[in-house]
Amino acid sequence: MKFTPTLRFPALATGLTLLGTLAASAQSAAPASLTVQVNKPGAAVNKNMYGLFFEDINFAADGGLYPELVKNKSFETDARLIGWKALQGAANLDTYSVRNEQGLTASNSHYVRLTTRNGASGEAGLENEGFRGMGIKQGGEYTLSFYARRGAGSINGLTATLVGEKGENLGQVAVTGFTDQWKQYTAVVRATGTQNKAHLKLVLNGTGTVDLDVISLFPKDTWNHRPNGLRTDLVQLLKDMKPGFLRFPGGCIVEGRTLSERYQWKETIGDVASRTPLVNRWNMEFKHRSTPDYYQSFGLGFFEYFQLSEDIGAEPLPILNVGMACQFNSGELAPMGSASTKGGPSAPAAAAPNTGDPSLDIFIQDALDLIEFANGPASSTWGAKRVAMGHPAPFNLKMIGIGNEQWGPQYLERYEPFAKAVKAKYPKIDIVSSAGPSPDGDLFDKASKRLGELKAEYVDEHYYALPQWFREHADRYDKYARTGPKIFAGEYAAQSVAIGSPDNKNTWDCAISEAAFMTGLERNADVVGMASYAPLFANVDAWQWTPDMIWFDNLNSYGSPSYYVQKMYALNKGTKVLPVTMPSGTKNGADNLFASAVADEPAGEVVVKLVNYSGSPRPVSINLAGAKGLGKTGRAQTMASADLQTQNSLAEPKKLAPQESTFAVKGSTLTYTLAPNSFTVLRVAGKK
Ligand code: AHR
């Protein structure tokens, strides 16, 4: 996609920051008086309101959450030897080439054949560079596994070494016993040092020819100690947010640049070694961040996404291709299939293979099969595959998304039969539809209207815009009809410079503006059912899109200020919206003061969220109208920085993170001074 920021979100004047500052200096020292009507609880807050958007962008999967250390382990990528190089420039190898005669399996037919040079001295073999290096931890154990088949000569094994940036040996293991048949070998390497950019060296023992395939180096330290498990620090950051849902696998990656490059979930389950990699559509999207070595290995596939959702307590929300390639790229369309030829939609009778010219029927069938894979019994075709992968219990899938960020009549005409077919077979599954890439404009209006007529359950709205847009649109959902589809704010993030700009930073200005906007999501919880920041992850050495919620290198990770804002909302979402009256009849957001409140009924607490987007401290006095059983002290969580450009980093991961304190409550009024440029959550015992 060639994102053209100015088309989607016309640049807004940066001068407004100055206006904000001037307004702040004009504030009076008298406390701003707000009323929270504790005795008038309103809409219920969806218990899954704040969730996660996962997409394999910025090396979020391979080279990120999925901790396989070897890049291109199966030699199945288009470029075949990406990630690999011959030791000493092949001086000791006669040939090292990818072949596919008598490969391991039909879906993994390619392997590398190494033939040593006659009479050459010194080491012969291959090195793998990893994903911008390999993160190795001292004392950590790494499982090396590969398939080998010896040819002519005397090669009967190899020695694997973890090599540091200066060539140092960080752990070694020898494997022997090669035969003339494919056989898998495994061994464990224990690391003797810690390095962010190590690599793996494989030296052949003997001379002659050998074939190698599915060469994997996988840390033993994974989430829940699973053999194909996920990176622990990253899963922990997700789990700490208590996310309500996990949207996967994207994002535009669902769509692909062409239909043949679309995400096909069926290709991502079963034996990991047999999953065929696919080019990652983000590899060359941005010239300024070109990443030609970016593929999807699918080691993290749909089974693993469901498992991750379960691990972190989030509802799974798979997004499926609606028969459209990315409209920012080819925009290829699947023919309508039986939906058009029979004069109306119908569920296809049987699964068709995902080859050839795919009609919409195939896409619909993929969705029906996915629901069966997630929820079906062991006696069903797809439920049996889940059971065979080690998960007899259903994943309890409750919702799916049809299409990612599609727009125009082509989407609506595909969505309609798609949704009908899903509902006909699975009436209890909620469906998420798309309102397109822009939060306003003709296409957005038409899609929203039509989806309302079709009684869509959720409409997915996206907004990537300047921080100021977020502050100025905190009232967006105040104006929405209360009877239409629920809104899924499925992708949003304040862009410090412009959408798609490589200069965007995860500043406090962005995060506090998102916090201000989110008071409007919370206040309108009868309209907005789910919300997720996007994108989720970025590798500091291999990103394409910025800003992102969580950044990492091969060893460490940190949450941006936006991460902590999302977390504060998720951990304080409460159960019922409480009406808030702003000072002397002003609107929420006037004078850059934003507020929302909820009752947390199980905890018996009132929760007030306040954003002070000004360079001055701001005293507030909050009347908790009609509250009973008020505590004498409350707990505050605050994120504040006088400098709106503050960012976190690997070196200072918590430079800006919530700080906890307590405050006194007198009678039914609490007074509190909001710090300059702050987001504050106040909790106090009290109920209706
Ligand atoms: O979050 C990055 C991209 O932004 C998503 O893939 C897409 O849905 C949106 O355009």
Side-chain angles (χ1 to χ4, degrees):
M1 147 181 7
K2 303 293 173 260
F3 284 99
T4 44
T6 47
L7 286 181
R8 289 176 64 178
F9 303 109
L12 301 171
T14 45
L16 284 195
T17 310
L18 178 61
L19 278 185
T21 314
L22 292 176
S25 61
Q27 287 156 21
S28 73
S33 298
L34 293 85
T35 299
V36 174
Q37 289 176 312
V38 182
N39 53 353
K40 288 191 185 157
V45 180
N46 182 2
K47 66 180 173 41
N48 306 115
M49 175 91 166
Y50 303 103
L52 302 167
F53 163 96
F54 181 91
E55 176 167 25
D56 188 3
I57 182 173
N58 304 319
F59 278 35
D62 299 303
L65 188 58
Y66 184 65
E68 169 63 69
L69 294 170
V70 174
K71 184 159 69 186
N72 188 15
K73 68 178 190 292
S74 302
F75 306 97
E76 296 296 325
T77 60
D78 301 347
R80 312 300 185 203
L81 271 166
I82 266 182
W84 295 96
K85 67 176 189 202
L87 284 177
Q88 294 152 18
N92 300 309
L93 281 182
D94 200 20
T95 57
Y96 63 111
S97 58
V98 173
R99 311 167 68 102
N100 66 353
E101 314 86 49
Q102 297 166 311
L104 260 182
T105 62
S107 61
N108 178 11
S109 57
H110 296 91
Y111 55 88
V112 66
R113 172 163 293 179
L114 308 180
T115 305
T116 59
R117 180 158 291 171
N118 253 346
S121 59
E123 295 177 333
L126 288 178
E127 286 180 289
N128 190 277
E129 66 189 17
F131 297 90
R132 306 296 185 269
M134 297 177 177
I136 301 289
K137 287 184 196 157
Q138 182 161 18
E141 292 188 321
Y142 299 85
T143 304
L144 172 76
S145 65
F146 59 89
Y147 286 82
R149 173 176 65 186
R150 67 183 279 185
S154 64
I155 298 173
N156 70 344
L158 58 76
T159 300
T161 309
L162 301 176
V163 182
E165 279 195 279
K166 294 184 182 138
E168 62 273 41
N169 180 333
L170 298 173
Q172 199 167 61
V173 70
V175 180
T176 57
F178 291 0
T179 71
D180 61 1
Q181 298 297 316
W182 280 118
K183 193 176 150 202
Q184 190 179 27
Y185 299 84
T186 59
V188 173
V189 195
R190 182 185 285 270
T192 56
T194 296
Q195 287 241 345
N196 192 29
K197 289 189 184 293
H199 65 267
L200 175 68
K201 181 166 102 166
L202 303 174
V203 179
L204 303 177
N205 297 336
T207 56
T209 295
V210 69
D211 299 332
L212 300 172
D213 201 359
V214 199
I215 304 170
S216 164
L217 185 67
F218 214 93
K220 280 198 165 187
D221 177 24
T222 59
W223 189 260
N224 281 347
H225 308 290
R226 292 201 185 99
N228 191 48
L230 303 181
R231 189 170 141 173
T232 51
D233 59 329
L234 297 180
V235 178
Q236 191 65 56
L237 281 165
L238 303 185
K239 191 167 188 200
D240 289 348
M241 290 181 69
K242 298 207 168 127
F245 62 88
L246 175 68
R247 169 186 173 153
F248 58 86
C252 295
I253 208 150
V254 171
E255 307 159 26
R257 286 182 292 228
T258 60
L259 281 179
S260 64
E261 289 178 359
R262 72 189 187 278
Y263 195 102
Q264 299 190 53
W265 73 267
K266 289 175 179 169
E267 309 292 321
T268 75
I269 61 165
D271 175 29
V272 178
S274 301
R275 300 180 194 174
T276 310
L278 180 68
V279 69
N280 188 303
R281 54 94 59 228
W282 291 106
N283 64 348
M284 309 291 275
E285 191 67 42
F286 296 113
K287 281 206 179 70
H288 53 261
R289 295 294 302 180
S290 150
T291 323
D293 58 337
Y294 200 0
Y295 286 79
Q296 304 172 76
S297 76
F298 297 124
L300 171 54
F302 259 46
F303 179 83
E304 290 78 18
Y305 285 124
F306 279 118
Q307 206 169 41
L308 172 63
S309 307
E310 196 169 72
D311 287 349
I312 59 177
E315 292 292 345
L317 172 49
I319 305 289
L320 298 175
N321 191 303
V322 66
M324 299 174 78
C326 184
Q327 290 163 283
F328 288 107
N329 300 139
S330 75
E332 272 178 14
L333 297 171
M336 290 295 287
S338 64
S340 60
T341 54
K342 292 180 193 152
S346 62
N354 285 347
T355 53
D357 181 16
S359 86
L360 186 62
D361 293 351
I362 287 171
F363 293 76
I364 294 174
Q365 190 61 47
D366 276 354
L368 299 176
D369 292 342
L370 177 66
I371 299 169
E372 186 175 290
F373 175 72
N375 295 350
S379 55
S380 62
T381 308
W382 290 96
K385 294 187 195 294
R386 181 197 72 243
V387 176
M389 289 186 76
H391 202 285
F395 280 118
N396 211 2
L397 177 67
K398 298 190 182 82
M399 49 191 175
I400 61 164
I402 299 180
N404 169 46
E405 195 183 58
Q406 262 67 54
W407 66 83
Q410 298 88 347
Y411 172 62
L412 294 169
E413 73 188 15
R414 281 167 181 72
Y415 167 80
E416 195 177 342
F418 205 129
K420 276 193 184 159
V422 171
K423 278 288 175 191
K425 187 155 185 196
Y426 297 105
K428 289 194 179 147
I429 292 283
D430 280 345
I431 295 177
V432 173
S433 56
S434 161
S438 289
D440 47 33
D442 188 45
L443 288 168
F444 173 86
D445 292 343
K446 283 189 176 136
S448 302
K449 182 167 174 287
R450 182 69 188 134
L451 291 167
E453 289 162 1
L454 292 172
K455 307 230 172 307
E457 273 135 351
Y458 280 97
V459 176
D460 181 11
E461 298 187 355
H462 295 177
Y463 13 86
Y464 296 99
L466 291 175
Q468 178 188 322
W469 182 95
F470 283 82
R471 299 192 304 278
E472 289 179 347
H473 290 80
D475 63 349
R476 175 180 177 89
Y477 296 109
D478 296 350
K479 305 163 196 162
Y480 268 52
R482 317 321 277 183
T483 49
K486 292 259 187 204
I487 298 304
F488 171 31
E491 293 185 32
Y492 57 84
Q495 315 281 299
S496 62
V497 176
I499 182 173
S501 167
D503 299 324
N504 285 332
K505 301 278 186 261
N506 278 100
T507 63
W508 177 228
D509 193 25
C510 290
I512 191 175
S513 302
E514 290 150 7
F517 179 80
M518 290 172 79
T519 59
L521 301 186
E522 182 168 280
R523 184 167 62 246
N524 290 288
D526 54 333
V527 170
V528 182
M530 294 188 288
S532 47
Y533 180 100
L536 179 57
F537 283 127
N539 182 319
V540 294
D541 291 323
W543 56 271
Q544 294 79 44
W545 177 295
T546 179
D548 303 285
M549 196 160 87
I550 293 170
W551 290 80
F552 58 86
D553 66 9
N554 286 333
L555 289 173
N556 299 302
S557 49
Y558 71 92
S560 66
S562 293
Y563 167 80
Y564 289 107
V565 164
Q566 298 299 314
K567 185 174 167 185
M568 281 167 76
Y569 269 93
L571 266 47
N572 294 287
K573 66 181 175 298
T575 49
K576 290 263 170 67
V577 179
L578 298 175
V580 178
T581 312
M582 298 300 284
S584 53
T586 59
K587 273 182 56 182
N588 213 320
D591 204 14
N592 281 316
L593 175 64
F594 302 82
S596 60
V598 288
D600 184 340
E601 293 160 309
E605 292 186 329
V606 177
V607 186
V608 186
K609 300 188 179 74
L610 296 142
V611 171
N612 175 28
Y613 187 81
S614 82
S616 308
R618 174 145 29 192
V620 289
S621 151
I622 305 173
N623 172 24
L624 302 174
K628 296 195 181 119
L630 279 169
K632 295 212 175 343
T633 52
R635 289 174 291 136
Q637 271 198 323
T638 306
M639 284 183 76
S641 174
D643 178 5
L644 287 167
Q645 301 313 310
T646 303
Q647 299 170 49
N648 292 339
S649 62
L650 286 169
E652 292 181 288
K654 290 196 175 170
K655 187 171 181 184
L656 187 49
Q659 304 297 317
E660 306 209 343
S661 60
T662 55
F663 59 92
V665 183
K666 288 198 187 106
S668 63
T669 300
L670 66 90
T671 53
Y672 193 89
T673 299
L674 303 173
N677 297 328
S678 62
F679 171 43
T680 303
V681 178
L682 303 174
R683 294 189 72 110
V684 60
K687 50 193 167 191
K688 187 175 136 184

